[in-house]
Amino acid sequence: MEETEHTCPRARPTVAAPAPFANETSCHCQAPHEKLTIAQARLGTPVDRPVRVYADGIFDLFHSGHARALMQAKNLFPNSYLLVGVCSDELTHKYKGFTVMDENERYEALRHCRYVDEVIRDAPWTLSAEFLEKHKIDFVAHDDIPYSSAGSDDVYKHIKEAGMFVPTQRTEGVSTSDIITRIVRDYDVYARRNLQRGYTAKELNVSFINEKKYRFQNQVDKMKEKVKNVEEKSKEFVYKVEEKSHDLIQKWEEKSREFIGNFLELFGPDGTWKQMFQERSGRMLQALSPRQSPSSSPTRERSPSPPFPWMSNRSSPPSSPKAASVSISSLSEGDEDEK
């Protein structure tokens, strides 16, 4: 029996380009698509082709929860090729509801996820045997919570019964519904922001009264922001003034202490000025009242007495002739003694 060439595409060697759509590259394998068990797939068999894993969804407002689910599907087996089916707007609006992103936006979002090898557009809501055979799907990956829709309690029930279902874990705390709930809850904030960015009230489906209200609130917010900036600048200015005042007061205190210290050193009880004053006072007292000469110092020679005592004072001659005779007699006696 002649062997048939196997031409199934393998996983992309690089993630530098977006994933292709199913009509651009599909499995052209002519050999029978042998059925695998989960145990065989986890052992890395078959060796001649990757295990083809399929994951589907709406993927509206593509977020990290979607990406983590696809990452788990990609890493279920050692050698896997991940196909992602995205439902069209028609099916989604019929069975689930209106979407934020249209189908083309959702297709493109999936193409740029690094874990996706191939994107299948207009994927069916319920997987049929013909669809599984057409895309050579080995296993279907989805979270294990029963997905009730289209009159069925679980649209993956027949996949689970066939042994082709592999569960993944949901990421708690993030979902498309949660994101939409945040937008609805903060609708006024987003409407005001988009009006400020240039969107019209008609584009945002905002009434005339609400438009004026939002624009007024934007003006109030701008004024509050200006007041806040002024307050911050004022606080900064006051802080700088306080800092400079503190420095000036500290310098003034240092200079004051230095001045007082110098003053006390000069004019204090034991200061320099008192010592100078005492030295000068002592010099002045010494100049005004000199000390007595010592007894051993030579005496000055006495000037000779006049021959007539009464002549020592010319202005006072003898008051009477009798006194004059007495003085002359005393003088003569003196001469006799000298002889």
Side-chain angles (χ1 to χ4, degrees):
M1 182 177 178
E2 184 181 356
E3 293 183 359
T4 306
E5 185 181 357
H6 202 290
T7 59
C8 279
R10 294 185 178 275
R12 289 178 297 158
T14 177
V15 291
F21 290 120
N23 61 343
E24 296 175 353
T25 175
S26 59
C27 181
H28 300 290
C29 180
Q30 301 299 325
H33 191 74
E34 59 187 32
K35 186 176 179 61
L36 298 175
T37 64
I38 294 177
Q40 289 175 331
R42 286 177 176 168
L43 290 174
T45 57
V47 296
D48 58 340
R49 68 173 180 86
V51 178
R52 295 172 68 82
V53 180
Y54 177 79
D56 61 354
I58 309 303
F59 300 105
D60 190 22
L61 297 176
F62 188 80
H63 52 73
S64 61
H66 293 141
R68 290 179 65 86
L70 296 177
M71 178 187 69
Q72 294 177 60
K74 176 67 175 176
N75 291 284
L76 286 171
F77 308 109
N79 182 22
S80 61
Y81 185 87
L82 181 60
L83 301 92
V84 179
V86 184
C87 299
S88 64
D89 287 346
E90 182 181 357
L91 281 177
T92 304
H93 297 167
K94 179 181 179 180
Y95 293 112
K96 189 169 185 178
F98 189 73
T99 58
V100 177
M101 301 168 65
D102 62 38
E103 58 185 24
N104 292 318
E105 292 172 329
R106 293 185 285 116
Y107 297 154
E108 283 298 320
L110 266 297
R111 291 186 70 195
H112 294 278
C113 178
R114 64 186 302 176
Y115 311 114
V116 178
D117 294 307
E118 185 176 319
V119 176
I120 300 175
R121 294 175 288 190
D122 192 14
W125 198 260
T126 303
L127 301 178
S128 63
E130 292 77 15
F131 179 82
L132 297 174
E133 179 62 27
K134 176 183 177 181
H135 295 282
K136 308 298 182 183
I137 296 171
D138 293 309
F139 299 101
V140 176
H142 200 274
D143 63 78
D144 203 15
I145 301 174
Y147 194 85
S148 60
S149 180
S152 174
D153 294 335
D154 188 0
V155 295
Y156 297 105
K157 182 179 179 180
H158 64 290
I159 303 296
K160 293 176 182 178
E161 292 174 349
M164 298 176 61
F165 186 85
V166 184
T168 58
Q169 299 297 321
R170 292 178 64 91
T171 302
E172 298 296 333
V174 57
S175 67
T176 301
S177 299
D178 291 338
I179 296 173
I180 294 175
T181 301
R182 296 179 206 171
I183 296 172
V184 173
R185 181 189 61 196
D186 300 326
Y187 170 76
D188 290 351
V189 176
Y190 294 116
R192 287 167 51 192
R193 184 181 70 179
N194 287 322
L195 282 173
Q196 192 174 6
R197 293 176 63 183
Y199 287 90
T200 64
K202 184 177 179 181
E203 291 173 329
L204 297 173
N205 195 26
V206 174
S207 65
F208 177 80
I209 295 176
N210 284 336
E211 178 190 5
K212 298 303 179 184
K213 181 183 72 172
Y214 293 151
R215 294 192 183 280
F216 177 74
Q217 288 175 344
N218 286 336
Q219 294 297 327
V220 172
D221 289 345
K222 287 182 180 179
M223 185 61 65
K224 287 181 179 179
E225 188 67 23
K226 289 182 180 179
V227 172
K228 184 178 178 181
N229 292 334
V230 171
E231 288 180 353
E232 291 178 355
K233 291 181 179 179
S234 300
K235 289 180 181 178
E236 184 178 357
F237 175 75
V238 170
Y239 175 76
K240 289 182 178 179
V241 170
E242 289 179 352
E243 188 176 8
K244 290 184 177 180
S245 301
H246 179 73
D247 293 340
L248 289 174
I249 292 173
Q250 187 175 2
K251 290 181 180 179
W252 183 83
E253 289 178 350
E254 292 176 357
K255 294 294 183 182
S256 299
R257 287 194 292 268
E258 183 179 355
F259 175 78
I260 293 171
N262 294 336
F263 182 85
L264 293 175
E265 184 179 356
L266 186 62
F267 297 102
D270 298 325
T272 305
W273 180 258
K274 183 177 181 180
Q275 295 177 1
M276 293 173 60
F277 180 77
Q278 289 177 351
E279 291 178 0
R280 292 186 178 181
S281 298
R283 292 176 183 175
M284 292 177 65
L285 290 174
Q286 187 176 2
L288 292 175
S289 58
R291 298 179 181 178
Q292 295 181 355
S293 300
S295 57
S296 60
S297 60
T299 58
R300 295 180 180 178
E301 294 181 358
R302 298 175 62 183
S303 57
S305 300
F308 300 101
W310 55 269
M311 294 179 63
S312 61
N313 191 353
R314 294 179 181 179
S315 59
S316 57
S319 58
S320 63
K322 184 177 179 179
S325 62
V326 172
S327 60
I328 291 172
S329 61
S330 60
L331 179 62
S332 63
E333 290 178 358
D335 291 338
E336 291 178 355
D337 293 336
E338 291 179 358
K339 291 179 178 179

